[in-house]
PDB file of all heavy atoms in Angstrom:
ATOM      1  N   THR A 258      14.186 -11.235  -1.137  1.00 98.00           N
ATOM      2  CA  THR A 258      14.752 -12.194  -2.088  1.00 98.00           C
ATOM      3  C   THR A 258      14.461 -13.627  -1.666  1.00 98.00           C
ATOM      4  O   THR A 258      14.149 -14.482  -2.501  1.00 98.00           O
ATOM      5  CB  THR A 258      16.268 -11.977  -2.208  1.00 98.00           C
ATOM      6  OG1 THR A 258      16.533 -10.608  -2.538  1.00 98.00           O
ATOM      7  CG2 THR A 258      16.856 -12.884  -3.278  1.00 98.00           C
ATOM      8  N   LEU A 259      14.534 -13.891  -0.365  1.00 98.00           N
ATOM      9  CA  LEU A 259      14.308 -15.252   0.124  1.00 98.00           C
ATOM     10  C   LEU A 259      12.899 -15.745  -0.208  1.00 98.00           C
ATOM     11  O   LEU A 259      12.682 -16.946  -0.372  1.00 98.00           O
ATOM     12  CB  LEU A 259      14.537 -15.319   1.631  1.00 98.00           C
ATOM     13  CG  LEU A 259      15.986 -15.378   2.103  1.00 98.00           C
ATOM     14  CD1 LEU A 259      16.047 -15.451   3.622  1.00 98.00           C
ATOM     15  CD2 LEU A 259      16.708 -16.572   1.492  1.00 98.00           C
ATOM     16  N   THR A 260      11.948 -14.856  -0.287  1.00 98.00           N
ATOM     17  CA  THR A 260      10.583 -15.255  -0.658  1.00 98.00           C
ATOM     18  C   THR A 260      10.593 -15.958  -2.004  1.00 98.00           C
ATOM     19  O   THR A 260       9.995 -17.041  -2.174  1.00 98.00           O
ATOM     20  CB  THR A 260       9.661 -14.033  -0.720  1.00 98.00           C
ATOM     21  OG1 THR A 260       9.597 -13.414   0.566  1.00 98.00           O
ATOM     22  CG2 THR A 260       8.264 -14.436  -1.166  1.00 98.00           C
ATOM     23  N   PHE A 261      11.286 -15.397  -2.974  1.00 98.00           N
ATOM     24  CA  PHE A 261      11.310 -15.978  -4.314  1.00 98.00           C
ATOM     25  C   PHE A 261      12.233 -17.189  -4.378  1.00 98.00           C
ATOM     26  O   PHE A 261      12.014 -18.096  -5.198  1.00 98.00           O
ATOM     27  CB  PHE A 261      11.708 -14.906  -5.323  1.00 98.00           C
ATOM     28  CG  PHE A 261      10.770 -13.737  -5.309  1.00 98.00           C
ATOM     29  CD1 PHE A 261      11.126 -12.533  -4.724  1.00 98.00           C
ATOM     30  CD2 PHE A 261       9.497 -13.850  -5.852  1.00 98.00           C
ATOM     31  CE1 PHE A 261      10.252 -11.465  -4.683  1.00 98.00           C
ATOM     32  CE2 PHE A 261       8.610 -12.796  -5.822  1.00 98.00           C
ATOM     33  CZ  PHE A 261       8.986 -11.593  -5.233  1.00 98.00           C
ATOM     34  N   VAL A 262      13.240 -17.207  -3.524  1.00 98.00           N
ATOM     35  CA  VAL A 262      14.082 -18.399  -3.418  1.00 98.00           C
ATOM     36  C   VAL A 262      13.250 -19.581  -2.923  1.00 98.00           C
ATOM     37  O   VAL A 262      13.323 -20.696  -3.467  1.00 98.00           O
ATOM     38  CB  VAL A 262      15.271 -18.138  -2.474  1.00 98.00           C
ATOM     39  CG1 VAL A 262      16.036 -19.434  -2.195  1.00 98.00           C
ATOM     40  CG2 VAL A 262      16.211 -17.098  -3.070  1.00 98.00           C
ATOM     41  N   LEU A 263      12.442 -19.355  -1.890  1.00 98.00           N
ATOM     42  CA  LEU A 263      11.616 -20.422  -1.335  1.00 98.00           C
ATOM     43  C   LEU A 263      10.538 -20.860  -2.324  1.00 98.00           C
ATOM     44  O   LEU A 263      10.210 -22.060  -2.402  1.00 98.00           O
ATOM     45  CB  LEU A 263      10.993 -19.958  -0.018  1.00 98.00           C
ATOM     46  CG  LEU A 263      11.995 -19.683   1.115  1.00 98.00           C
ATOM     47  CD1 LEU A 263      11.276 -19.160   2.353  1.00 98.00           C
ATOM     48  CD2 LEU A 263      12.776 -20.945   1.461  1.00 98.00           C
ATOM     49  N   LEU A 264       9.970 -19.920  -3.067  1.00 98.00           N
ATOM     50  CA  LEU A 264       9.022 -20.298  -4.119  1.00 98.00           C
ATOM     51  C   LEU A 264       9.687 -21.220  -5.138  1.00 98.00           C
ATOM     52  O   LEU A 264       9.094 -22.210  -5.584  1.00 98.00           O
ATOM     53  CB  LEU A 264       8.474 -19.046  -4.816  1.00 98.00           C
ATOM     54  CG  LEU A 264       7.430 -18.223  -4.070  1.00 98.00           C
ATOM     55  CD1 LEU A 264       7.087 -16.964  -4.864  1.00 98.00           C
ATOM     56  CD2 LEU A 264       6.167 -19.034  -3.813  1.00 98.00           C
ATOM     57  N   ASP A 265      10.911 -20.912  -5.490  1.00 97.00           N
ATOM     58  CA  ASP A 265      11.656 -21.730  -6.438  1.00 97.00           C
ATOM     59  C   ASP A 265      11.895 -23.121  -5.864  1.00 97.00           C
ATOM     60  O   ASP A 265      11.782 -24.125  -6.577  1.00 97.00           O
ATOM     61  CB  ASP A 265      12.974 -21.050  -6.783  1.00 97.00           C
ATOM     62  CG  ASP A 265      13.753 -21.789  -7.852  1.00 97.00           C
ATOM     63  OD1 ASP A 265      13.338 -21.739  -9.022  1.00 97.00           O
ATOM     64  OD2 ASP A 265      14.775 -22.425  -7.510  1.00 97.00           O
ATOM     65  N   TRP A 266      12.199 -23.180  -4.584  1.00 97.00           N
ATOM     66  CA  TRP A 266      12.478 -24.459  -3.936  1.00 97.00           C
ATOM     67  C   TRP A 266      11.265 -25.380  -3.935  1.00 97.00           C
ATOM     68  O   TRP A 266      11.414 -26.607  -3.982  1.00 97.00           O
ATOM     69  CB  TRP A 266      12.947 -24.227  -2.500  1.00 97.00           C
ATOM     70  CG  TRP A 266      14.391 -23.823  -2.393  1.00 97.00           C
ATOM     71  CD1 TRP A 266      15.208 -23.402  -3.394  1.00 97.00           C
ATOM     72  CD2 TRP A 266      15.185 -23.806  -1.202  1.00 97.00           C
ATOM     73  NE1 TRP A 266      16.464 -23.104  -2.914  1.00 97.00           N
ATOM     74  CE2 TRP A 266      16.471 -23.346  -1.562  1.00 97.00           C
ATOM     75  CE3 TRP A 266      14.940 -24.106   0.134  1.00 97.00           C
ATOM     76  CZ2 TRP A 266      17.510 -23.194  -0.640  1.00 97.00           C
ATOM     77  CZ3 TRP A 266      15.964 -23.968   1.052  1.00 97.00           C
ATOM     78  CH2 TRP A 266      17.235 -23.523   0.673  1.00 97.00           C
ATOM     79  N   ILE A 267      10.062 -24.837  -3.840  1.00 97.00           N
ATOM     80  CA  ILE A 267       8.863 -25.679  -3.795  1.00 97.00           C
ATOM     81  C   ILE A 267       8.273 -25.904  -5.179  1.00 97.00           C
ATOM     82  O   ILE A 267       7.158 -26.402  -5.312  1.00 97.00           O
ATOM     83  CB  ILE A 267       7.799 -25.083  -2.848  1.00 97.00           C
ATOM     84  CG1 ILE A 267       7.294 -23.734  -3.374  1.00 97.00           C
ATOM     85  CG2 ILE A 267       8.320 -24.961  -1.433  1.00 97.00           C
ATOM     86  CD1 ILE A 267       6.126 -23.162  -2.563  1.00 97.00           C
ATOM     87  N   GLY A 268       9.021 -25.549  -6.198  1.00 97.00           N
ATOM     88  CA  GLY A 268       8.598 -25.821  -7.567  1.00 97.00           C
ATOM     89  C   GLY A 268       7.836 -24.716  -8.250  1.00 97.00           C
ATOM     90  O   GLY A 268       7.294 -24.918  -9.333  1.00 97.00           O
ATOM     91  N   LEU A 269       7.786 -23.522  -7.628  1.00 97.00           N
ATOM     92  CA  LEU A 269       7.090 -22.389  -8.230  1.00 97.00           C
ATOM     93  C   LEU A 269       8.108 -21.351  -8.687  1.00 97.00           C
ATOM     94  O   LEU A 269       7.990 -20.162  -8.395  1.00 97.00           O
ATOM     95  CB  LEU A 269       6.101 -21.779  -7.241  1.00 97.00           C
ATOM     96  CG  LEU A 269       5.024 -22.727  -6.696  1.00 97.00           C
ATOM     97  CD1 LEU A 269       4.113 -21.998  -5.718  1.00 97.00           C
ATOM     98  CD2 LEU A 269       4.210 -23.337  -7.833  1.00 97.00           C
ATOM     99  N   GLY A 270       9.109 -21.801  -9.416  1.00 96.00           N
ATOM    100  CA  GLY A 270      10.151 -20.900  -9.885  1.00 96.00           C
ATOM    101  C   GLY A 270       9.756 -20.191 -11.164  1.00 96.00           C
ATOM    102  O   GLY A 270       8.797 -20.560 -11.846  1.00 96.00           O
ATOM    103  N   GLY A 271      10.506 -19.139 -11.482  1.00 97.00           N
ATOM    104  CA  GLY A 271      10.275 -18.405 -12.713  1.00 97.00           C
ATOM    105  C   GLY A 271       9.404 -17.186 -12.518  1.00 97.00           C
ATOM    106  O   GLY A 271       8.718 -17.031 -11.499  1.00 97.00           O
ATOM    107  N   GLY A 272       9.399 -16.336 -13.527  1.00 97.00           N
ATOM    108  CA  GLY A 272       8.701 -15.067 -13.437  1.00 97.00           C
ATOM    109  C   GLY A 272       7.195 -15.180 -13.380  1.00 97.00           C
ATOM    110  O   GLY A 272       6.534 -14.344 -12.748  1.00 97.00           O
ATOM    111  N   GLY A 273       6.623 -16.188 -14.018  1.00 97.00           N
ATOM    112  CA  GLY A 273       5.174 -16.333 -14.011  1.00 97.00           C
ATOM    113  C   GLY A 273       4.631 -16.591 -12.620  1.00 97.00           C
ATOM    114  O   GLY A 273       3.692 -15.924 -12.157  1.00 97.00           O
ATOM    115  N   TRP A 274       5.207 -17.570 -11.939  1.00 98.00           N
ATOM    116  CA  TRP A 274       4.772 -17.869 -10.576  1.00 98.00           C
ATOM    117  C   TRP A 274       5.049 -16.708  -9.633  1.00 98.00           C
ATOM    118  O   TRP A 274       4.234 -16.391  -8.764  1.00 98.00           O
ATOM    119  CB  TRP A 274       5.446 -19.138 -10.068  1.00 98.00           C
ATOM    120  CG  TRP A 274       4.905 -20.404 -10.650  1.00 98.00           C
ATOM    121  CD1 TRP A 274       5.558 -21.288 -11.466  1.00 98.00           C
ATOM    122  CD2 TRP A 274       3.589 -20.941 -10.474  1.00 98.00           C
ATOM    123  NE1 TRP A 274       4.749 -22.323 -11.811  1.00 98.00           N
ATOM    124  CE2 TRP A 274       3.528 -22.145 -11.220  1.00 98.00           C
ATOM    125  CE3 TRP A 274       2.455 -20.515  -9.783  1.00 98.00           C
ATOM    126  CZ2 TRP A 274       2.368 -22.935 -11.273  1.00 98.00           C
ATOM    127  CZ3 TRP A 274       1.308 -21.294  -9.833  1.00 98.00           C
ATOM    128  CH2 TRP A 274       1.269 -22.479 -10.565  1.00 98.00           C
ATOM    129  N   ALA A 275       6.220 -16.086  -9.791  1.00 98.00           N
ATOM    130  CA  ALA A 275       6.550 -14.945  -8.923  1.00 98.00           C
ATOM    131  C   ALA A 275       5.554 -13.805  -9.122  1.00 98.00           C
ATOM    132  O   ALA A 275       5.100 -13.177  -8.156  1.00 98.00           O
ATOM    133  CB  ALA A 275       7.969 -14.463  -9.219  1.00 98.00           C
ATOM    134  N   GLY A 276       5.188 -13.537 -10.375  1.00 97.00           N
ATOM    135  CA  GLY A 276       4.227 -12.491 -10.652  1.00 97.00           C
ATOM    136  C   GLY A 276       2.863 -12.799 -10.078  1.00 97.00           C
ATOM    137  O   GLY A 276       2.212 -11.935  -9.473  1.00 97.00           O
ATOM    138  N   LEU A 277       2.402 -14.039 -10.240  1.00 98.00           N
ATOM    139  CA  LEU A 277       1.106 -14.423  -9.696  1.00 98.00           C
ATOM    140  C   LEU A 277       1.107 -14.381  -8.176  1.00 98.00           C
ATOM    141  O   LEU A 277       0.092 -14.034  -7.548  1.00 98.00           O
ATOM    142  CB  LEU A 277       0.729 -15.825 -10.184  1.00 98.00           C
ATOM    143  CG  LEU A 277       0.371 -15.926 -11.677  1.00 98.00           C
ATOM    144  CD1 LEU A 277       0.128 -17.375 -12.065  1.00 98.00           C
ATOM    145  CD2 LEU A 277      -0.852 -15.074 -11.999  1.00 98.00           C
ATOM    146  N   TRP A 278       2.226 -14.734  -7.558  1.00 98.00           N
ATOM    147  CA  TRP A 278       2.346 -14.632  -6.100  1.00 98.00           C
ATOM    148  C   TRP A 278       2.124 -13.187  -5.653  1.00 98.00           C
ATOM    149  O   TRP A 278       1.347 -12.916  -4.733  1.00 98.00           O
ATOM    150  CB  TRP A 278       3.717 -15.131  -5.658  1.00 98.00           C
ATOM    151  CG  TRP A 278       4.082 -14.779  -4.247  1.00 98.00           C
ATOM    152  CD1 TRP A 278       4.773 -13.670  -3.827  1.00 98.00           C
ATOM    153  CD2 TRP A 278       3.760 -15.522  -3.058  1.00 98.00           C
ATOM    154  NE1 TRP A 278       4.908 -13.680  -2.459  1.00 98.00           N
ATOM    155  CE2 TRP A 278       4.302 -14.797  -1.958  1.00 98.00           C
ATOM    156  CE3 TRP A 278       3.097 -16.707  -2.813  1.00 98.00           C
ATOM    157  CZ2 TRP A 278       4.176 -15.239  -0.643  1.00 98.00           C
ATOM    158  CZ3 TRP A 278       2.972 -17.153  -1.504  1.00 98.00           C
ATOM    159  CH2 TRP A 278       3.502 -16.424  -0.447  1.00 98.00           C
ATOM    160  N   CYS A 279       2.791 -12.257  -6.313  1.00 98.00           N
ATOM    161  CA  CYS A 279       2.679 -10.850  -5.922  1.00 98.00           C
ATOM    162  C   CYS A 279       1.263 -10.324  -6.128  1.00 98.00           C
ATOM    163  O   CYS A 279       0.757  -9.542  -5.315  1.00 98.00           O
ATOM    164  CB  CYS A 279       3.677 -10.007  -6.707  1.00 98.00           C
ATOM    165  SG  CYS A 279       5.404 -10.335  -6.274  1.00 98.00           S
ATOM    166  N   VAL A 280       0.600 -10.764  -7.200  1.00 98.00           N
ATOM    167  CA  VAL A 280      -0.759 -10.296  -7.477  1.00 98.00           C
ATOM    168  C   VAL A 280      -1.744 -10.857  -6.461  1.00 98.00           C
ATOM    169  O   VAL A 280      -2.525 -10.120  -5.846  1.00 98.00           O
ATOM    170  CB  VAL A 280      -1.188 -10.679  -8.905  1.00 98.00           C
ATOM    171  CG1 VAL A 280      -2.679 -10.419  -9.106  1.00 98.00           C
ATOM    172  CG2 VAL A 280      -0.388  -9.877  -9.926  1.00 98.00           C
ATOM    173  N   THR A 281      -1.726 -12.175  -6.272  1.00 98.00           N
ATOM    174  CA  THR A 281      -2.733 -12.797  -5.410  1.00 98.00           C
ATOM    175  C   THR A 281      -2.527 -12.447  -3.944  1.00 98.00           C
ATOM    176  O   THR A 281      -3.493 -12.186  -3.218  1.00 98.00           O
ATOM    177  CB  THR A 281      -2.719 -14.328  -5.583  1.00 98.00           C
ATOM    178  OG1 THR A 281      -1.395 -14.831  -5.371  1.00 98.00           O
ATOM    179  CG2 THR A 281      -3.176 -14.716  -6.978  1.00 98.00           C
TER     180      THR A 281
END
Side-chain angles (χ1 to χ4, degrees):
T258 306
L259 281 180
T260 299
F261 301 105
V262 172
L263 295 177
L264 284 175
D265 185 73
W266 281 13
I267 65 173
L269 302 180
W274 286 115
L277 289 175
W278 166 268
C279 292
V280 170
T281 54

